[in-house]
C-alpha cells in the first residue's frame, strides 16, 4: 500500500470503518491505536491526512475515544467523525455513519455491547442524518460526489445487502446523482455497477479475509469480487475517475474508469 501510495503521490487516505478490531478502543489511551494504526501505516507515502468513518466493531468500544482530539495529538494523521463532508475542489466526499441504520444492532445485539451514546433516540438520529446529507449534496457544486459509509448497499459478500440503507439512504444517492458509494464491512474487494448509474465499491480487505463465500449476483453488474486482502485507489480529474483494486503485493486485480461527460465506465 505504501509503495502504491508513493507511485501515485497520494493526497490523503480514507478508512471505511472497523478501524480497531475486534471491539473498537477502550479509551483514548488504548494502545490498540498505535498497534493498529500508527505502527502499521509507517511508509513515508502514508504520512498524509486520514479520514475515517466508524464501523460496527468500533461501536462495540468507546466511540468518543475515536472522535477524540487526544488521538490526533498522538498522531496528526488521524481524523474520525460520525458523519462529515470533505470538500476537495472538484470532488466532495460525504461520510455517513451507517451503523444506527442497522436495526438488529439494537434489537438483537447477541453478546455484543454497543456504545449508542449521542445516537439515541435512533429514529431522530437517522432522520437528522438523512436530512443533512440530502441538503449538503444538493448544495454541492463539485463535479464529482462520492458517499462513504461502512455498510454495503450493493454487495455479494457474506454480510449481504443492508436493507435499511437500500430503503432509506439509496433513494437520496439516486435522486442526487451520486457517482460512487464506497464501503467496507464485507471483508473483500468488490465493484458492482451498471453503465450510467452509481458504482458501488467495497474495500473491506484490510485484514481479516478469505471467508470463502459469495452471494449470487447479476454477473452483468458484478465487475469484481475478490475474497482476499487488499486495498483500492482513486485518481480523480475533472472529466474522469479511475479506481484500481490491488492485492497485498500491489498487483492490480481490477481497474475501471467513470467518465463525467458520458457517464460511462470502461473495464481493462
Amino acid at each position: 500500500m505504501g509503495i502504491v501510495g508513493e507511485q501515485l503521490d497520494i493526497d490523503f487516505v480514507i478508512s471505511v470503518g472497523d478501524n480497531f478490531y475486534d471491539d473498537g478502543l477502550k479509551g483514548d489511551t488504548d494502545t490498540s491505536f498505535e498497534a493498529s494504526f500508527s505502527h502499521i501505516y509507517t511508509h513515508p507515502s502514508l504520512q498524509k491526512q486520514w479520514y475515517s468513518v466508524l464501523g460496527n466493531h468500533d461501536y462495540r468500544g468507546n466511540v468518543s475515544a475515536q472522535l477524540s482530539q487526544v488521538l490526533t495529538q498522538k498522531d496528526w494523521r488521524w481524523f474520525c467523525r460520525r458523519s462529515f463532508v470533505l470538500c476537495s475542489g472538484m470532488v466532495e466526499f460525504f461520510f455517513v455513519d451507517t451503523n444506527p441504520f442497522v436495526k438488529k444492532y439494537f434489537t438483537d445485539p447477541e453478546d455484543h455491547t454497543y456504545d449508542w451514546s449521542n445516537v439515541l433516540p435512533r429514529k431522530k438520529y437517522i432522520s437528522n442524518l438523512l436530512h443533512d446529507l440530502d441538503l449538503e449534496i444538493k448544495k454541492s457544486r463539485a463535479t464529482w460526489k462520492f458517499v462513504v459509509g461502512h455498510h454495503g448497499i450493493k454487495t455479494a459478500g457474506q454480510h449481504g445487502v443492508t436493507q435499511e440503507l437500500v430503503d432509506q439512504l439509496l433513494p437520496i444517492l439516486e435522486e442526487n446523482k451520486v457517482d460512487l458509494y464506497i464501503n467496507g464491512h464485507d471483508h473483500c474487494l468488490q465493484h458492482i455497477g451498471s453503465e450510467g448509474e452509481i458504482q458501488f465499491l467495497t474495500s473491506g480487505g484490510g485484514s481479516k479475509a478469505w471467508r470463502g463465500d459469495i452471494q449470487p449476483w447479476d454477473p452483468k453488474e458484478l465487475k469484481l469480487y475478490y475474497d482476499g486482502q487488499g486495498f483500492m485507489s482513486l485518481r480523480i480529474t475533472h472529466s474522469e475517475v479511475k479506481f484500481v483494486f490491488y492485492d497485498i503485493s500491489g498487483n492490480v486485480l481490477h481497474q475501471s474508469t467513470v467518465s463525467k461527460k458520458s457517464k460511462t465506465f470502461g473495464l481493462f
Side-chain angles (χ1 to χ4, degrees):
M1 185 174 168
I3 293 168
V4 170
E6 183 178 22
Q7 292 169 346
L8 297 177
D9 188 22
I10 62 172
D11 296 294
F12 53 87
V13 183
I14 287 174
S15 175
V16 289
D18 283 357
N19 305 311
F20 304 99
Y21 223 75
D22 202 41
D23 294 311
L25 295 179
K26 295 182 179 68
D28 56 26
T29 60
D30 192 330
T31 56
S32 295
F33 179 70
E34 288 80 13
S36 289
F37 180 66
S38 294
H39 295 169
I40 297 295
Y41 302 103
T42 56
H43 194 282
S45 77
L46 303 179
Q47 307 311 302
K48 300 288 175 71
Q49 186 69 63
W50 286 58
Y51 298 100
S52 304
V53 288
L54 297 165
N56 53 302
H57 285 268
D58 299 312
Y59 263 98
R60 295 177 189 175
N62 184 330
V63 170
S64 63
Q66 290 200 44
L67 310 179
S68 171
Q69 287 294 321
V70 174
L71 298 188
T72 307
Q73 291 166 5
K74 291 182 180 182
D75 191 323
W76 67 269
R77 298 175 295 169
W78 182 257
F79 182 89
C80 182
R81 296 291 184 270
R82 296 181 196 269
S83 300
F84 61 99
V85 181
L86 171 61
C87 303
S88 186
M90 72 187 95
V91 57
E92 285 192 19
F93 292 85
F94 302 87
F95 292 78
V96 176
D97 180 9
T98 59
N99 297 279
F101 286 86
V102 184
K103 189 175 181 180
K104 69 179 181 181
Y105 296 157
F106 296 83
T107 59
D108 186 22
E110 299 176 338
D111 57 348
H112 305 299
T113 301
Y114 291 89
D115 177 10
W116 296 125
S117 53
N118 298 313
V119 170
L120 301 175
R122 172 175 171 257
K123 287 185 178 180
K124 183 177 181 181
Y125 181 92
I126 293 173
S127 175
N128 289 341
L129 192 162
L130 292 172
H131 174 270
D132 292 347
L133 175 66
D134 185 47
L135 199 64
E136 289 299 319
I137 299 178
K138 281 181 166 57
K139 279 168 49 180
S140 173
R141 294 295 174 261
T143 304
W144 299 98
K145 301 175 182 67
F146 305 157
V147 174
V148 179
H150 179 64
H151 295 80
I153 293 178
K154 288 191 176 185
T155 170
Q158 184 189 47
H159 292 299
V161 168
T162 309
Q163 192 58 46
E164 294 93 337
L165 295 183
V166 173
D167 295 339
Q168 298 176 75
L169 180 60
L170 182 57
I172 292 176
L173 307 190
E174 291 176 334
E175 179 189 341
N176 290 290
K177 295 181 170 54
V178 164
D179 301 288
L180 304 180
Y181 178 76
I182 306 168
N183 64 274
H185 199 44
D186 276 318
H187 299 186
C188 58
L189 304 176
Q190 291 184 86
H191 171 203
I192 293 177
S194 297
E195 185 173 331
E197 297 181 3
I198 301 170
Q199 304 303 300
F200 297 87
L201 311 178
T202 299
S203 184
S207 183
K208 186 178 179 182
W210 304 111
R211 299 223 169 183
D213 56 2
I214 176 172
Q215 308 292 330
W217 203 273
D218 182 353
K220 292 179 182 178
E221 274 201 334
L222 185 60
K223 313 302 181 186
L224 169 72
Y225 188 93
Y226 180 70
D227 196 36
Q229 292 105 334
F231 56 98
M232 63 170 288
S233 69
L234 288 171
R235 185 180 180 91
I236 305 158
T237 68
H238 282 287
S239 60
E240 184 179 274
V241 171
K242 180 180 181 181
F243 45 92
V244 184
F245 291 86
Y246 310 85
D247 67 13
I248 57 171
S249 300
N251 299 310
V252 173
L253 299 167
H254 169 76
Q255 56 185 321
S256 183
T257 59
V258 178
S259 167
K260 182 50 75 172
K261 289 179 181 178
S262 59
K263 207 70 177 297
T264 60
F265 63 86
L267 304 179
F268 300 89

